[in-house]
Amino acid sequence: MGITTGTAATAAAVASILHLKGENDIRRVAIDAPYGKLEVDIKGVEKLSENKARASVIKRPYNDPDVTVNIDIIATVQLNKSSKIIIRGGEGVGKVTKPGLPVPPGESAINPTPKKMIKENIKKYLSPGEGATVEISVPEGRRVAKKTMNPRLGIHGGISILGTTGIARPMSSKAYKVSLACQIDIAASRGWKELVFVPGNIGEKIAKKYFKSIEEDRIIQMGNYPGYMLKIAAKRRLKRIILLGHAGKLIKISAGIFNTKNSVADGRREIITAHAALNNAPKPLLVEIFNKRTVEEMITELDHAGLTQPVFDSIASSIREKCQERYSIDFDVLIFNLKGRILNTNFKTGPDHTFN
């Protein structure tokens, strides 16, 4: 396990205020987090003036592909006589620009739980009538934010200060899924009931090219988690979803695979071979398809046999059926190859579609 950016920010704030209160050589601090008591190493702390100090914490690596590991999280604390604790973002902490997120537009992307952690952990060191302004900064935040969902969510200029328990767990797909779901919250905040769900960047590019006047925030990236994203969509009472994307990811749903990560489940050649057989493909073609390595190669074989349209109509129907078995939402399905050619014909949504 590791610590969240929220825990790192809290620990840095505590170290800063302890230094202002007379402690020196601070190498570790204890903080209270929703998870419980945590001890966090302090990289360094310095006094900037009689009532102002700054400390930094390195977000140490743990067993997770987290872009924020090994970066400095800095808290600068300035004491005052306001009796209030104000928390704001500095350099490298993003600004929220869209509604629908836990933080309103115009504010720094410091989520409610980290804000609460910082306030509760430093107020115990304040004298009666004393307040503090805490500024959280991340020198590498602007750079690493480009590797996160922040730009897509309308969070500009840096990373978000996150955390719900204080602990970052290995293989934290949960955190990634939550960031994916924020896309739906942004769209729902605009009152939209019809969205386009795509697997990733390829699907998004195809959607923008296909639909002539679609708003960018209507295009929702699912990542490898269509099941999770559709569950959130149902909770947000969406009425209609257009599943659009490259065959390589989308067709897995036709077999009831709602986590499309290759290491979890593949089945692409089995799916295409089965649907080709259902459409009377000869055995030599089935063998040829089954032995191909990529979906694009399988599509080429179907093209040569004139079976692409019936096979992908069959797959699209299965996708729709599998989704409607789980969710009370109206679905449409458009399956593309890498060149952007629509492979199925049994869809209802054209390029001039007016979205609700």
Side-chain angles (χ1 to χ4, degrees), residues 78-86 126-133:
Q78 183 163 5
L79 300 178
N80 55 55
K81 300 298 183 181
S82 69
S83 300
K84 297 180 180 178
I85 299 173
I86 298 170
L126 295 174
S127 304
E130 193 172 38
T133 297

Side-chain angles (χ1 to χ4, degrees), residues 11 50 55 138 206 217 222 242 257 272 298 304 338 349:
E50 283 304 307
V138 185
I206 292 172
D217 286 344
M222 301 182 288
I242 301 164
I257 298 170
I272 293 179
M298 299 174 206
H304 291 158
L338 284 176
T349 314

Side-chain angles (χ1 to χ4, degrees), residues 266-277:
D266 192 351
R268 291 169 297 174
R269 66 178 187 174
E270 290 84 358
I271 292 165
I272 293 179
T273 302
H275 284 272

Side-chain angles (χ1 to χ4, degrees), residues 227-356:
Y228 172 80
M229 294 295 281
L230 293 175
K231 181 180 178 181
I232 297 297
K235 287 183 177 179
R236 300 295 183 269
R237 300 186 182 280
L238 296 183
K239 301 297 184 184
R240 189 167 187 266
I241 291 175
I242 301 164
L243 291 166
L244 178 152
H246 181 255
K249 283 289 186 183
L250 219 55
I251 65 172
K252 293 182 182 181
I253 302 172
S254 70
I257 298 170
F258 283 86
N259 181 332
T260 58
K261 189 175 182 180
N262 281 346
S263 61
V264 174
D266 192 351
R268 291 169 297 174
R269 66 178 187 174
E270 290 84 358
I271 292 165
I272 293 179
T273 302
H275 284 272
L278 289 171
N279 284 277
N280 301 313
K283 185 176 179 180
L285 176 58
L286 298 177
V287 173
E288 194 69 30
I289 292 170
F290 191 80
N291 287 325
K292 293 298 182 186
R293 295 184 61 188
T294 69
V295 168
E296 290 293 314
E297 290 174 327
M298 299 174 206
I299 293 169
T300 299
E301 293 299 324
L302 291 170
D303 283 343
H304 291 158
L307 287 172
T308 301
Q309 176 258 311
V311 167
F312 279 93
D313 277 357
S314 179
I315 291 172
S317 293
S318 292
I319 292 171
R320 202 159 34 238
E321 289 168 8
K322 291 294 183 183
C323 290
Q324 288 175 335
E325 286 173 4
R326 292 186 174 208
Y327 311 104
S328 298
I329 298 172
D330 180 34
F331 288 93
D332 200 7
V333 180
L334 287 91
I335 306 173
F336 289 80
N337 69 357
L338 284 176
K339 293 182 179 179
R341 173 166 63 101
I342 306 177
L343 301 176
N344 63 306
T345 61
N346 57 346
F347 56 88
K348 299 172 283 185
T349 314
D352 297 313
H353 179 68
T354 300
F355 287 87
N356 295 319

Side-chain angles (χ1 to χ4, degrees), residues 159-211:
I159 66 168
S160 302
I161 305 301
L162 303 172
T164 55
T165 65
I167 290 291
R169 298 182 181 277
M171 303 307 293
S172 58
S173 59
K174 180 180 178 182
Y176 179 55
K177 287 193 287 186
V178 168
S179 68
L180 287 172
C182 285
Q183 300 171 94
I184 302 174
D185 292 333
I186 289 170
S189 73
R190 300 183 67 172
W192 293 338
K193 296 297 182 182
E194 182 179 16
L195 303 177
V196 177
F197 278 32
V198 300
N201 290 329
I202 294 174
E204 181 174 355
K205 289 177 183 177
I206 292 172
K208 288 178 179 178
K209 186 176 180 180
Y210 179 76
F211 292 110

